[in-house]
Each structure stands twice: as structure tokens, then as C-alpha cells.
Amino acid sequence: VLDSQYGTYVWPCAVVLAQYLWARRRSLTGKRVLEIGAGVGLPGVVAARCGARVTLSDSEELPQCLQSCRSSCRENGLPHVPVLGLTWGRVSPELLCLAPVDVILGSDLFFDPKDFEDILTTIYFLLEKNPHAEFWTTYQVRSADWSIEALLHKWNLKSIHVPLHSFGADKEHLASSPMPGRHTIEMMIISLARSEGT
């Protein structure tokens, strides 16, 4: 159990999501992007370097993760990128005052099943405020028994699976980094489920 160190390490899911952003880099210019549970913020930093207007966030209860976000921005020449404390499942002034977003990013958020509903309630809140936005997320398959399908249905959300080979992330090495072959990483895009005729 890594506890507080969890958000201070670049996990393979972050590298895969960064690869997806790089593959779509031409479409990111000017997009308003929010990364939640950012940790060191690799996907958000890549999006910012590709011309997106990025905000990084992690739990307000994890100041070391917020500091990691700030350090990553400074080290990558992005001192203007805002870093906010947003805790999943909690309505806060920062969440209520958040500027509109086009894309929400999250890598390896679906780690502990006790957090799944808090994550999806936050995503639902953000997508309700930004109905045309999408949540781009990568996750590691850790248990065949863990699923978010029922929660997606409960919160009126839908998901589309994105095959890793479609953006060159099905390799043993990404960005000159070895990817752990024993881990199965998946990607999906979550959006609001539309009812018929809307």
C-alpha cells in the first residue's frame, strides 16, 4: 500500500493517457482541459504543451500531490497552469466556480472501489455543467470483479472503449519508458448518456 506516495509517482496509466493526448495533439489547441486526481500531472502537462488551456487538480486533503502538480508545471515551463484542490464526491467552492471545460482527464483513478462512486459523481457534476465535454480516462484492470457499469447507468453516463492500438499505446515501450507487461491497461471515454431525441 503506497498511501500518500501514490500521487507522487508516474504510473503506467498516465503514460498511456499522455500517449493518447500526443496522438490527438492537433485537436487540443485552445481546448479547456481539467485533469482530476492529477498526482504529478503528466497527462495535463502534455495537454498544456500541446496548446490546451489546462487546470490540474488533486484532493485538497493531499497537499503533497498538489505540490507535485506545481513542481511538474514549473519544471516543464508551465508556471501559469492553475492547480486546484478538488476532492472527489465533495461539492466545494472551487468545484462550483470552475471555469467551463471541454475535456476532463483522469489516469488510474479507478484504483479503490470505495472511491468509484465519488469519482463518478464528480464527473457527472462536471458533465452536467459542460454537456458537450468528455472524460478521457485510463485504468489498470486489477480485478475481474470490479466494474463501474452499474454506476455509469445510475449516474446517466455512457462509456466508449478506446483500443490502445488505435493510438500506438499497445507497445512494450512508450516515450522511451518500459511498460510493465503484466498489467492490463484500458482506456475509455465517458460522457453523458443522451435520451432518445436529444
Side-chain angles (χ1 to χ4, degrees):
V1 176
L2 294 169
D3 290 338
S4 61
Q5 297 304 308
Y6 180 84
T8 58
Y9 179 80
V10 178
W11 293 91
C13 287
V15 179
V16 171
L17 186 54
Q19 175 76 12
Y20 183 74
L21 293 163
W22 181 249
R24 297 182 51 99
R25 62 191 173 276
R26 288 178 182 81
S27 69
L28 290 173
T29 303
K31 290 273 194 243
R32 300 162 302 185
V33 173
L34 169 68
E35 184 176 1
I36 65 170
V40 296
L42 175 64
V45 165
V46 170
R49 295 301 300 236
C50 292
R53 296 181 299 178
V54 172
T55 299
L56 297 178
S57 72
D58 211 313
S59 173
E60 59 195 331
E61 298 168 359
L62 298 173
Q64 72 277 14
C65 289
L66 296 172
Q67 188 53 46
S68 290
C69 288
R70 291 184 188 98
S71 295
S72 291
C73 291
R74 277 194 309 276
E75 291 168 16
N76 286 280
L78 301 165
H80 62 282
V81 170
V83 175
L84 300 177
L86 297 177
T87 302
W88 306 325
R90 184 179 302 160
V91 177
S92 64
E94 290 78 13
L95 183 65
L96 292 171
C97 296
L98 200 61
V101 296
D102 301 304
V103 176
I104 305 154
L105 302 175
S107 64
D108 216 1
L109 302 185
F110 297 105
F111 175 77
D112 189 337
K114 74 176 177 52
D115 295 324
F116 289 3
E117 187 153 27
D118 285 343
I119 294 164
L120 289 175
T121 57
T122 299
I123 293 303
Y124 176 78
F125 177 84
L126 291 166
L127 293 176
E128 273 286 301
K129 281 183 64 174
N130 305 275
H132 300 290
E134 294 178 330
F135 175 41
W136 299 353
T137 185
T138 51
Y139 61 97
Q140 183 175 320
V141 178
R142 291 184 170 88
S143 170
D145 297 329
W146 294 0
S147 175
I148 62 168
E149 288 303 317
L151 291 171
L152 290 174
H153 181 73
K154 176 181 177 179
W155 288 101
N156 195 35
L157 299 168
K158 65 178 180 179
S159 68
I160 297 170
H161 179 261
V162 180
L164 268 54
H165 69 83
S166 69
F167 57 97
D170 58 338
K171 301 177 171 65
E172 291 183 11
H173 286 77
L174 283 181
S176 300
S177 299
M179 297 295 290
R182 292 182 301 275
H183 299 165
T184 301
I185 296 171
E186 301 287 344
M187 179 171 177
M188 64 182 159
I189 295 175
I190 295 175
S191 59
L192 288 177
R194 305 279 178 204
S195 53
E196 293 289 322
T198 59

